Amino acid sequence: GAVVSQHPSWVICKSGTSVKIECRSLDFQATTMFWYRQFPKQSLMLMATSNEGSKATYEQGVEKDKFLINHASLTLSTLTVTSAHPEDSSFYICSANPGGIYNEQFFGPGTRLTVL
Amino acid sequence: KQEVTQIPAALSVPEGENLVLNCSFTDSAIYNLQWFRQDPGKGLTSLLLIQSSQREQTSGRLNASLDKSSGRSTLYIAASQPGDSATYLCAVRGSRDSNYQLIWGAGTKLIIKP
């Protein structure tokens, strides 16, 4: 299957700092990538759809100024959590579909963010 | 509005048993359905994808079925092994009318006892 990587795998930061998470499609190009958030023992929650070369589409209730998404190339999307607070602590997972956005979806290994 | 339900929420069985995980959805107008596994603290691994026109897909000891009319999918795991222990997630992709959105079940946590 297609491979999606994320970096870092975990990060601990102080409240008020910004954290950038990278998502890369290693063996395919992805014009669209997805960012999810997962709380303990809960399923995934779609945060936003990242579109290469254009603005991301955010789901209702997700603050676009808080979660900045940049999809600068066909293999890289970044999520920046700005002025992070303890309530932003979560597991962030990115995803991409090599065969088009309607087909099989592959996920990165996730990034565990802990804000102190 | 599409809703996806997975039952049971947790399941514990002895090694070697065959087992079935269930996924039900309320709107039969789907594009496809995908089964994933998630290990603790890890991302998701795609197991099987069933297109709306298909009835089942097989990969090794895994078999997934789809009955659109009744809004059900099952994931059958044969000869279970401790390494199968994980949370299994079902995700339904809606049709064009719902912008092909992916709707998730809450998952079934599976424990295979050695």
Side-chain angles (χ1 to χ4, degrees):
Chain A
V3 180
V4 178
S5 71
Q6 275 183 250
H7 179 81
S9 55
W10 59 270
V11 57
I12 301 173
C13 69
K14 293 182 178 180
S15 185
T17 60
S18 294
V19 175
K20 180 185 283 188
I21 303 171
E22 292 186 351
C23 176
R24 294 181 185 272
S25 56
L26 297 187
D27 50 1
F28 65 97
Q29 293 182 333
T31 54
T32 303
M33 291 184 175
F34 304 90
W35 286 96
Y36 291 84
R37 185 173 180 176
Q38 186 178 34
F39 291 103
K41 298 185 179 181
Q42 294 187 27
S43 193
L44 280 72
M45 182 193 79
L46 178 65
M47 298 175 64
T49 301
S50 170
N51 304 299
E52 187 267 337
S54 64
K55 292 182 179 180
T57 304
Y58 290 82
E59 295 300 304
Q60 192 172 11
V62 178
E63 300 176 59
K64 60 181 180 181
D65 295 331
K66 174 75 170 177
F67 300 99
L68 299 179
I69 291 174
N70 184 277
H71 195 150
S73 77
L74 289 172
T75 59
L76 173 65
S77 175
T78 60
L79 169 68
T80 301
V81 183
T82 62
S83 187
H85 291 283
E87 58 265 30
D88 298 324
S89 298
S90 190
F91 193 55
Y92 293 88
I93 309 177
C94 74
S95 172
N97 303 29
I101 63 173
Y102 313 132
N103 290 308
E104 190 170 6
Q105 198 155 330
F106 294 88
F107 287 78
T111 297
R112 172 74 59 194
L113 170 63
T114 302
V115 184
L116 302 176
Chain B
K1 179 185 173 185
Q2 178 76 276
E3 292 181 4
V4 180
T5 305
Q6 289 187 248
I7 295 174
L11 180 65
S12 180
V13 301
E15 179 180 3
E17 282 197 6
N18 302 324
L19 58 98
V20 175
L21 306 180
N22 297 293
C23 173
S24 61
F25 47 95
T26 54
D27 186 352
S28 61
I30 67 170
Y31 189 81
N32 60 40
L33 183 146
Q34 199 165 352
W35 282 94
F36 298 88
R37 71 172 278 170
Q38 184 176 28
D39 294 282
K42 305 289 185 183
L44 277 68
T45 300
S46 176
L47 297 174
L48 289 164
L49 170 73
I50 309 179
Q51 300 292 353
S52 62
S53 58
Q54 297 174 325
R55 296 284 292 185
E56 66 177 349
Q57 284 287 330
T58 298
S59 176
R61 294 183 293 108
L62 305 179
N63 176 278
S65 69
L66 175 64
D67 184 343
K68 268 200 324 178
S69 60
S70 66
R72 292 180 185 176
S73 175
T74 61
L75 180 65
Y76 175 83
I77 301 177
S80 60
Q81 302 170 357
D84 295 330
S85 298
T87 295
Y88 289 81
L89 293 162
C90 162
V92 171
R93 188 174 297 284
S95 63
R96 184 174 63 178
D97 290 346
S98 61
N99 291 321
Y100 300 103
Q101 245 192 350
L102 201 62
I103 307 297
W104 295 85
T108 294
K109 184 176 182 178
L110 176 64
I111 297 174
I112 305 298
K113 297 176 289 187

